Each structure stands twice: as structure tokens, then as C-alpha cells.
Amino acid sequence: MTEWHEKRHGLEQRIADWTSRTGFTISVRDDLGHLNLRGDLGSPGFLAAAEETIGQPLPQAPNTISDGDSTIFWLGPDEWLILTPAEKAANLADQLESSLSNQHAATNNVSGGQIALTLTGERVREVLAKGCALDFHPQVFTEGRCAQSGLARANVTIGSIGGDNKFLVIVRRSFADYLLAWLDGVA
Amino acid sequence: MFLIECPWCGERAETEFSYGGEGGITRPAEPDKLSDAEWANYLFMRTNPRGAHQELWNHAQGCRRWFGVERDTVTYHISRSYVLGDGVKD
Amino acid sequence: MQVNRLDKGGRIDRSKPLKFRFNGKSYEGYAGDTLASALLANNVSLINRSFKLHRPRGIIGSGAEEPNAILQIGKGAHTLPNRRATQVALQEGLVARSTKGWPGVRFDIGAINDVFSRLFSAGFYYKTFMFPQSLWNLYEDLIRGSAGFAKAPKKPDPDRYEHINAHCDILVAGAGPAGLMAALAAARSGARVILADEGTEAGGALLRSDEIIDGRPATNWVETIATEIRGYEDVTVLKNSTVFGYFAQNFLTITERTEGPIRQREWRVRARQVVLAQGAIERPLIFCNNDRPGVMLASAVSEYIRRYAVLPGKRAVVFTNNDAAYQAALDLHSAGATIAAIVDSRRTGAGDLGEQAKAAGIPVMPGHIVTNVSGRKRVTGVKIATWDGATEGMVDESIDIACDLVTMSGGYSPAVHLHSQSGAKNAWDDSLSCFVPGEAVQACESAGAGNGRWSLRDCLEDGARAGKVALAKAGFDMPDIAVPAASSQAVKPLEPLWRVPAAQDPDRCPKQFLDFQNDTSVADVRLAVREGYRNIEHVKRYTALGFGTDQGKLGNINGMAVLAEALGMSIPEVGTTTFRPPYTPVSFGVCAGESVGELYDPVRKTAVHEWHESSGAEFENVGQWHRPWYFPLPGEDLDAAVARECLATRKSLGILDASTLGKIDVQGPDAVTFLERIYTHNVGKMQNGRCAYGIMLGEDGMVMDDGVMARLGDNRFYLTTTTGGAAAVLGWLESWLQTEWPELEVYLTSITDQYSTIAVAGPNSRRLLHKLSCSVDLGNENFPFMSVHDAELAGIPVQLFRVSFSGELAFEVNVDSNHALPLWQTLMDAGEEFDITPYGTETMHVLRAEKGFVIVGQDTDGSVTPIDLNMNWMLSKEKDYLGKRSLSRPDCLRTDRKQLVGLLSEDNTTVIPEGAQLIEDLSAPEPVPMLGHVSSSYMSACLGHPIALGLVAGGWNRKDEVVYAWAAGCEPIRARIVSPVFYDPRNERQND
Ligand SMILES: [Zn+2]
């Protein structure tokens, strides 16, 4: 029996088939689990309970990331995406459900529905600019910033994390094949 | 391509948003007490102004929030965008 | 032989000869040439035929303004129609053709139009081809054929294009002296700068200049400055790049003609500040036969000589109303040409340049005008008259001078196109006799010749000024920037000369062309006025003035002036013209960018897609999803495969990938309250663990979407939507939650991709799940129809729904998409003993139609209420819900509304085409009343005959009546109206 968190999508093959290119590399982050968290910052106790369970702060400023054992993206005034080691995702989802059970909150483990990609290299900002209207200048899209937008014709969550020219791009599973084909084309 | 200011995410390209029609139209509390004409007025009639227009926009590709926008229908100039008040499409 | 190539000079690379072909003949040019300069070097003067009159035409200009040398470049799928030879960089092996003229440009049948040109006056097309309207299609073909529009490639474009988004503090359009100064200021201050120029190198007009800047040749200065600008980290310099669009909020678009694997790139730039420094475009003078090959703009002549080392003529007449053309005369003279005369309409002659011309021994004829040109395929001479500067009537053209080149200058018009596109007006400047940029309405500054500054010193100064203003507005500190020293010559002002008087009446004299591309002449504009046109926009459309691909870059101002004269008005009274994007034509390829082929639109794939593909499925697109349509066995067609899939499912076991259903997680204490307002049924009465079929209506009462929903807990629901409606439904629910009922505590989360849905349907579906050691009791008591359980199947956690879209005993399995493929494989393996049969969307449609289940969007079209679908049982009387009030509007209560019915073809064999109209009486007079239409129609293998669903006016009262189904290309089919439920009307199978 396969482990619960094991990703099956065949995307590595697509990347392996690419001809090598300079200044741009991409990897599929099967090591990450994805949780979608909803909650009301105005409700007493929500923030404390959530942060205690996750063990790090929830980013409250729009378009920012909180980095720690988990990487937490601000998605909206009451919505976060928590990327956490895949093997811990289900457990964390359960813990959040129980610690927030007396709150108006919602947790969804969406590890199976999303694909996270790490894009690195000196050309990464240029490649992103070919499909996204956000400003990827290194002094604008600085480390720790994130945004939801469109990349080519797919909705994505993009975050600059872990290095100057390093980005996490999260896309819905059903769009991943298209997005990789597009990245292959423009990169 | 316009820039629209999402009250949460800041200025973003128009392509990230979807339009929700005229703002400030409140659903009648008790529709069954309305005459056909009154219901039709709620359902179909819009102000369609020349000039400042209160609109609803959704940051569909971003934070998924609905918010208000005041846009000039002649110049397209957006004079403000704002968080919707409690229970009021203003 | 490059007979017109000068021995030395120019910015061409003589060590790199390039071969090219034009109209089937081989020629040679050099790297650094444009196609136009290479053609002129080879003494090719006849380039094309004109659009309407098929007159011989040559090259007039040297840049974006060129109206004649519009050529077909390349062959086959690579071909590019309508490219300006003046902006096509010469390449080895380049192939070019004239776009007009049949059978050839030298002998052109259509040239007969010129002989009868009086018939082809303003509004010719409107007047001649107006009646009868039914022949217009034929006319259009004839006009296009003989006008010889360029050919679009017939094969897919093999080249690649791309888009790139960019953001900057300062965008500078144009890298002439003004643009370079502005960009230099911006770059030095540390701003993010984009400098775009349509030329192959920076410099603009300086590339054809012999001026001195800071004590050295201008081109030398250009190189230094351009190098410095390129050296700053946050500066992007784009050559071969035309800023072609200026839209709201300082959003500008640039096409970059690149070298390398990408043919063209479209830049989409959001600029905080814009500096427009695109220079000015020289105006032609409007005299008789001013379109003959060999009549050229003075600026172009200088450019060909100085930049490309091409001498376009041996014996020239220079005709001007301003000083600028004297430079061309001096350039011609020093390149070895004879200047027969400088004909200057001003009696005062020129300033400093005039003195230089005299010193060089060039004869100058002040107070004279060129009235006519002789020669057809090439200029052979001109007629000249003395002129007092005032006479508008006939003049005596008594002087003949032989020449092979006429160099003309009617002054300059600032290139105000982008300024105009930005939404701003242009203002007439009487002292400069041109339109200059009016007050800006966006964050932009105009500079240099584009701002009406003619001298080099003024351009440099104005560029620096504009750069500083833009920087200040963008919040940058002033950089240290000194304006370099440049000469400023004494100039005598231009004297406007919009229409050169001729030896005959302006309406009878040989044609004086205003718009070369569209063959619009002075007489055409005057005729339009006689016929009652007054407004410049009307005159432009009537005469086609400015409607070519050059958008009237040469002709518009002269045309307005001629109109003003004919109307007895001033030019500003006549108005200004509005320029629209694109500044120069843009290829469709770069508009599409990367969005072609497999990237045209995202293809969404389910987690089981790989299996479908390897099993030979045929796919169909459902929204953006790629879904298996049917799974043919070798030799099977659609009908055979679907018949087999249907029978197997009804008899034993079928399996369907239903993962594309939209899925929404609903949580919160107010979930019931919220969903009660959304759905028509009584959501609150649902027990935990139970499912319900739900429909949601628009406020107009029409069915918007449907799907199964399940209650997973007191405060938690799971909704499904149609495949195509997923995003729209979520947006719709959020809009009510956020804007109308924000007091409700409910969270909605899309989980469409998180869970894959596998449907197993058929009498053996329960046995299959049982075999996989399902962890829950699947019996009717524990697991009745329309209920849900968490379970494990073969050790994989799943959510099991006992629901059915086929009418059979069936289960839908929701599984984490990471495990969908192994689970699917496990089900296939375990199902072997039941002959498990994968089926696609077509079989799904047949099975549901046999049960009379509608598909929202196929059997409904936004004008169908639940009552029309006979779903009154789903409409709660106890609560309000969206759209409820509309259902009691008089129109929704009509008994003759179109209602859902079944249809059987009377011959029991014909499958009625979907979309067929239903009519009652074949002999009814037109317009025949339509009763409705067929919305779904299939051959039912289980029933052994075709079935159809349709919407028929008053259909329920027409049971057993016969109607006719009629579709294009078919004979009418007799069909009987029946119940829409064809199979198992008592639902015994799904409850089994
Ligand atoms: Zn937003």
C-alpha cells in the first residue's frame, strides 16, 4: 500500500524530457503537503489557537509569507495556505480541526489537489514575467512576498522564498501539466 | 489593460478580476410580499449612469473577495475601491 | 550590380554581402541595409502598383511612414504580408514580392484604371458597388482580387512568438537625440528605464546627420551615450522595437523584432512615466504626379546617402518650402550627384544652409514651385513655375528641367500618434504649421522633434527637460546631466504650401496625391466637399484618406489642409484626427504569443488521465477539461463503442471518471441557513450522512446549475456542481455570502482537484466494492440510495456516495487525487470478473437520457425554469430561496411555456439531429411557428430504438401528438411526444 502523502502525477517525467536550459531549473515539490485554512481574525481565540497548533505565526499582512517549519501564504483576509512536510499534513489538518473546533474556521487538506513547483535560476523572474503581469523586480517581489495571480492561463499562487531567485509556484493539479508545458515553451 | 485596486491585495491587472454588476442593490427581505412590478424593478432595472458608477468587482484570481468600485463610465477612471460595509452593497 | 552604391561611407558592413530576391530576380546588398536601401542600391525604382489606380510606385520614405514599398516577405508558411521594405532588415536569402500588380509590376493589367481614373474618384466603391446588395460578396472578391491585397500564409505559422510583461519607472519611446537625453537622465538617477526604438540602432535622425555634438560627430556621441545607458542595471534597451499602443493607466505595448528562436516579442509595459520622443515625419509636397517613382522625401534621401551609402539619383531637383531639404541637397552634392536646382517656394530662400548650398555652387530658385513631373515608371523631369507665394489658381509652368530624382520637403509633422492614443488632444501650432502634442492626460511628456523642436540643440535640451520632469514626477532625485553642445543654425521659417498650384484647375490637373497608399488626391477631397461632406472624419472615410496600413502618416495633415482650403476654414477649425493603435501594423502571430497549439487554452487533466490515454480513449473537451468520450475497442466506431458500454453498464458493471465535477466544501454554523437560500429544496431537513439532488436558480427563476449535495455533519456540507459551472457557482455563492449576507458564518473552499471521483454503475457495483473489502456495510439498510459514508476500499480512505446518474445501482467514490490512479487500477482489476467496462461522456449521456435526467446547459439554456422541467417536487413551499419569487411571475406561469418532453421518431430507427426545430404543420406559411427544439438525442442500445429529449411549447398537453423535427440538410422527421423517462420509470434499479 502506498503512503497517504505519496504524489502520483507523472510530472517528473515531463521535466526529465526537457532539453537542458541555462539559468532556469524546476522541481516538483512532492515533499510538501498543502492545507487550506479559513478563519476569522476578528474572532477571539482563532489566531492564538491556529498559531499554537501550527507552531508559527499566520501572516496577516496581505501578500506575505510566514516561514518556519511550515511555509504559510496569505491568500486573503481569512484564508491561508499552509505548506508543510507531506508526511505531517494529514496530522496537522486533524490537529487544526480539533483545536479550532469551537471556532468559525475551516481546514481542508488539499495536498492531492495542488502541485507545488520550485523555480530557481537567474532567469526565473524573466520566465515568470512572460506569463504573469505582476512586477517581479528583485526589489519589488522580495523574499517573503507572495501573490495569487495568473501564470499563462492558469491560476497560481507565487511566493518568493528560500533565496533571491527562488520561487514557489502552486497550481491546481489539473492545470499542472499545462503549466509545465508552458514553462517548457517559454523557458 | 486596466489596473484595479483590490482593497486587500493592492493594484492588480484587470485580468485578475471579474465584474459583478451594479452595487448598492439590496435583495428585498420578503420577496413574496412584492408586486410583480416591484420584483421586476429589483431584478431588471439598473441606473446605467453616465459618469460615476458604483460597481461590484471580485478579485477572482486573487483573494476571492468581493469589493466596491466607483468607476466613471465615460472616462473609465476608477476613483476609489472599498471594502463592502456590513450587509450593505454601498 | 549595386550601381547606386557609393564607394565609401554609410553604416553598412561591406564585408558581409547578402543575396536576396525581389520579384523573382536576384540582387545583392550588405549587412546593415534595409530591404529598401538594398533595392535602391540596385537601382530598382519601380517597387509596386498603387491600390486603386495601379500606378507605378517607388520608395518615398525611409521609415515607418513609407506608403508604397509594402511587400510580401518570405515564402510559404513563413510569409509575412504587408511589410514596409524600409523597416525590413536585409538578410541572406530574403525573398520579397510586390503585393500589387498582375501579372507583374512592370506590366499591370489594372493600370488601365489609371487611364480611366476619372471614373475612380472619391466614393467610387460606395457609388459603383452599392446595388444590388446581394452582389456585394461578388464585388468584394473582385475588388480585393484586383486591388491585390497581400497574401496571408495558408499554413500554420512555424515561428515562435512570445509576450513579456514589464514594469518601469520611465519608458522612453524613441532613441533619437531627445529620447537618448531623457533616457540618460533617467538611467543616471537609478530609475528603472525601458528605452525602445524601432530602428536597428539608436540615434534616430542623427544616423543621417553630419552634425557635431560636443565637438565630435553625432553618431559618435550616440554610441557613447547608448553604451552608457545600456550599462545601467535597471535599464532595458530595445532595438527593432516599435511602441505601437498607448492605453489607459500608462500601459503601453511594444513589438520587438528579435533575432533568434523567437521571431517577435510583445512587451506589455506598465510605466510610471512615459517620455514620447518619436521624432517627426516629413510631409510630401502636393504637386501633379508627385507619386512617380523617383519622387522622394528629403529626409529619406539624406538617410539613404549617409546611413546606407546609396545614391538614389544622379540628377536631382530639390523642391521645398523650408530649410531642411537643403541638407539633402548638400548630401546629394557631396555624394556626387548633380543638383539641377533647389526649387524653394519661399521668395526669401533659406538661412545658413542656403548659404552653404550657394557656396557649393548649387543653383537655388527661390519663389518657384515644381508643378508637374514627367516620366511614368521613373521621373524624367519636372515642370517649374515662378510663384508669388499667394496665387492659388493656375500658374504658368514655363520651365522644364530634366532629372531622375525629385527630393521634396513640405516640412515636418511631429509623430503625435502615441500622444493621441493616450487620450490626449493635439494642438495646431500656427508658427510651426503642424500639430504638436496638446496637454497630456496621462503621466507622459513629449520631447524633441515630436514636440515641435526642430534644431538639434533644442531636441537635446527638450529631451533632458522631459527626462527630468518625468523623474521628478516619479519621485527621483535630479541626476547630474549637462546638455551637450550642438550647433544651431540660422533658419528661415517654413512657409506653408499645402497644395502646389498647377497649370490647370485643381480639379482637372494631373493627380496631386495626398495619400499614396489609398490613391487619394486633392481632387477627391474637393469632390467630397462639393458633394456635401464637411467633417474631416466623414471626408476621410469617403475618400479613404488615411485608411491604409500607414494610417495616413504622410497624407493626413496635407489632406486636412486641402479640406480646410476647400471649406474656406483654417486647419484647426477642420479639426484634428485621432490616432488609434497600432502605430504600425502588428502581426497576428505576436498578438497570439505563446497561446497557440497545445498552449492555446489550458487542457485540464484528471488524475486518471494517463490510464485513459493508454487505454485508447477518444477525448472530448468539456470546458477546459479533457474527458474520455468513449473507449473504442479495435475496429469500433463511436456508435458501436457506446452501445457496448451502455449494455455492459446496465447488464453488469461500468466505470466512469467523474472527477471533473465541481466540488465545494461548506463549513460553518450558518451552513444550513445559507444553503437553504441557495437551493430550492429543504436543506435543513436533510439528515447527516444523506445526499440530495439540488438545483440552484438565478434570481430570474431560471435553472443555473445542479448537482448532488451531501450533508456531512451538522455544520458541514459537500456540494457538487456541473463540470463547466464549478468556478462560476463558487463565485456566485461567494458573492451572496460576501455582499448580501456577510453576517452568515460560512466558509466555502473549492476541493474540485483534491478529490477524484470514480463512478461505478451497474447491478454488480455493490459486489465490486464488497470484493475490495469495503469497510462499511453496503446493504440497503445501512447504505440506502442517496447516502454517504467514509470508508476504506482496498485500504485506501475514500468517501462513498450511493448516487446514480445512470439509473442503475451505483456508487461514486471520492478519493484523494494522489490515490486516484491506483484505486482506478484496483477497481479495474477487481472488476474483471464482472466484465467491468470503462465508459466515457457519451455513454454517460445516453444512460442519463434514458432516465430523462437533464444536463444543465444542454437541455436547459437559461430560459428554463424548474417547473418547465417538471421538477415542482424540488421546490420548497416553506422557505424563500434565490429565484423563487420569479417563478410566480405571469410569464413563468404560462401553460404554453416550453416544457421538457421525450420524443420518439415514428419510424423507430432515425436518430433525430440534436438542435432540430420542432414544428407542427409542414404546410404552414412562413414564418413557420416553432414549437421548440430537440436538446438531446441518442440511439439507445438498451431499448433498441432512438430516444430524444426536447423542449416543446405546452408539451405536457401534447402527449402522443406527432410533430416534425427539422434540421438543416435533413428531411423532416415525424416524432411522437412521450414521457421523458424511457427506462425504469419506477426507479427500481437504482434502489435495488
Ligand atoms: Zn485581492
Side-chain angles (χ1 to χ4, degrees), chain C residues 62-74:
Chain C
S62 57
E65 75 284 359
E66 174 60 36
N68 289 338
I70 311 283
L71 303 179
Q72 184 94 27
I73 307 294

Side-chain angles (χ1 to χ4, degrees), chain C residues 487-808:
Chain C
S487 66
S488 181
Q489 289 157 326
V491 171
K492 292 239 173 91
L494 168 149
E495 286 177 15
L497 175 59
W498 302 112
R499 177 182 63 77
V500 180
Q504 302 89 2
D505 181 81
D507 300 313
R508 299 188 188 286
C509 66
K511 286 200 172 288
Q512 301 169 306
F513 285 95
L514 292 164
D515 181 321
F516 299 92
Q517 208 177 50
N518 277 340
D519 278 339
T520 309
S521 69
V522 168
D524 290 331
V525 171
R526 294 169 64 91
L527 176 62
V529 170
R530 285 202 300 281
E531 292 183 355
Y533 290 88
R534 293 290 180 274
N535 181 302
I536 178 66
E537 295 302 327
H538 296 162
V539 171
K540 281 175 65 183
R541 280 154 183 82
Y542 191 56
T543 63
L545 174 73
F547 273 77
T549 56
D550 63 348
Q551 285 196 53
K553 290 190 179 67
L554 294 184
N556 272 0
I557 307 301
N558 287 329
M560 289 176 65
V562 167
L563 177 65
E565 183 201 4
L567 291 172
M569 295 160 85
S570 68
I571 294 176
E573 280 173 327
V574 165
T576 175
T577 62
T578 306
F579 294 100
R580 295 185 178 83
Y583 174 64
T584 51
V586 174
S587 75
F588 284 118
V590 78
C591 293
E594 289 278 352
S595 299
V596 294
E598 94 172 309
L599 301 177
Y600 172 67
D601 199 38
V603 172
R604 298 179 70 181
K605 295 176 179 172
T606 74
V608 194
H609 187 88
E610 202 181 309
W611 188 94
H612 304 322
E613 230 168 22
S614 62
S615 302
E618 294 289 332
F619 290 89
E620 75 166 337
N621 294 331
V622 183
Q624 290 175 321
W625 289 96
H626 227 36
R627 295 193 70 178
W629 185 17
Y630 58 101
F631 290 86
L633 295 178
E636 275 185 341
D637 62 2
L638 170 69
D639 291 342
V642 168
R644 174 180 51 75
E645 292 170 11
C646 285
L647 289 169
T649 304
R650 293 241 183 265
K651 243 168 46 195
S652 176
L653 184 58
I655 181 168
L656 171 78
D657 181 0
S659 305
T660 62
L661 284 175
K663 308 173 196 79
I664 299 169
D665 173 71
V666 183
Q667 295 189 49
D670 295 315
V672 169
T673 311
F674 175 64
L675 294 176
E676 286 278 27
R677 296 176 187 179
I678 297 293
Y679 285 98
T680 65
H681 67 284
N682 289 317
V683 178
K685 289 187 179 166
M686 291 173 67
Q687 302 287 316
N688 290 350
R690 297 306 301 249
C691 304
Y693 173 66
I695 51 175
M696 50 183 82
L697 313 181
E699 278 283 62
D700 58 2
M702 304 302 154
V703 176
M704 204 182 80
D705 205 82
D706 71 344
V708 168
M709 50 147 12
R711 183 163 195 172
L712 304 178
D714 289 348
N715 297 330
R716 188 162 193 177
F717 286 80
Y718 161 79
L719 318 181
T720 66
T721 74
T722 56
T723 295
V729 168
L730 183 60
W732 165 256
L733 299 186
E734 285 284 5
S735 78
W736 287 102
L737 206 47
Q738 292 179 31
T739 71
E740 199 73 40
W741 309 315
E743 72 282 3
L744 295 185
E745 295 200 326
V746 178
Y747 285 130
L748 306 173
T749 308
S750 168
I751 47 172
T752 300
D753 284 55
Q754 169 63 19
Y755 294 105
S756 294
T757 305
I758 302 172
V760 288
N764 281 317
S765 53
R766 185 185 281 129
R767 278 184 205 103
L768 172 71
L769 300 187
H770 193 68
K771 199 181 153 189
L772 291 174
S773 35
C774 181
S775 61
V776 296
D777 175 3
L778 295 164
N780 261 337
E781 191 133 329
N782 180 57
F783 210 150
F785 183 59
M786 294 308 258
S787 60
V788 55
H789 279 283
D790 283 331
E792 278 193 8
L793 267 186
I796 301 175
V798 297
Q799 210 163 30
L800 266 187
F801 298 81
R802 183 161 170 206
V803 295
S804 179
F805 197 41
S806 57
E808 294 300 323

Side-chain angles (χ1 to χ4, degrees), chain A residues 74-75, chain B residues 6-10 12 16-17 59 62-65 67:
Chain A
W74 180 94
L75 297 184
Chain B
C6 168
W8 285 275
C9 304
R12 296 292 185 87
E16 293 188 8
F17 299 86
H59 193 188
C63 63
R64 302 197 294 126
R65 296 301 97 183
F67 57 96

Side-chain angles (χ1 to χ4, degrees), chain C residues 3-138:
Chain C
V3 294
N4 290 342
R5 186 74 72 179
L6 297 167
D7 294 337
K8 55 181 179 10
R11 306 179 65 76
I12 46 163
D13 185 349
R14 289 168 205 261
S15 71
K16 287 188 190 143
L18 301 172
K19 288 204 164 45
F20 70 101
R21 290 177 75 78
F22 174 65
N23 283 348
K25 277 194 185 158
S26 292
Y27 299 97
E28 200 174 273
Y30 293 120
D33 263 327
T34 62
L35 176 56
S37 66
L39 285 167
L40 287 170
N42 286 278
N43 203 29
V44 180
S45 53
L46 175 54
I47 304 287
N48 225 340
R49 291 277 174 172
S50 73
F51 172 67
K52 190 166 76 172
L53 302 175
H54 292 246
R55 286 168 70 102
R57 290 283 163 82
I59 294 163
I60 293 182
S62 57
E65 75 284 359
E66 174 60 36
N68 289 338
I70 311 283
L71 303 179
Q72 184 94 27
I73 307 294
K75 287 194 294 195
H78 288 279
T79 192
L80 276 176
N82 294 329
R83 291 297 312 276
R84 289 166 307 283
T86 49
Q87 292 188 308
V88 174
L90 193 67
Q91 285 175 329
E92 178 64 30
L94 184 143
V95 176
R97 295 199 69 81
S98 303
T99 53
K100 296 166 194 127
W102 179 85
V105 72
R106 296 200 70 81
F107 177 77
D108 174 19
I109 297 229
I112 197 116
N113 287 358
D114 193 19
V115 178
F116 297 106
S117 67
R118 272 192 208 295
L119 299 177
F120 287 78
S121 57
F124 165 76
Y125 294 111
Y126 299 110
K127 291 167 185 165
T128 311
F129 296 111
M130 194 133 57
F131 302 104
Q133 204 166 19
S134 59
L135 281 182
W136 172 247
N137 285 345
L138 175 65

Side-chain angles (χ1 to χ4, degrees), chain C residues 136-152:
Chain C
W136 172 247
N137 285 345
L138 175 65
Y139 290 147
E140 194 182 359
D141 276 356
L142 286 172
I143 294 167
R144 283 180 175 271
S146 81
F149 280 115
K151 289 183 175 55

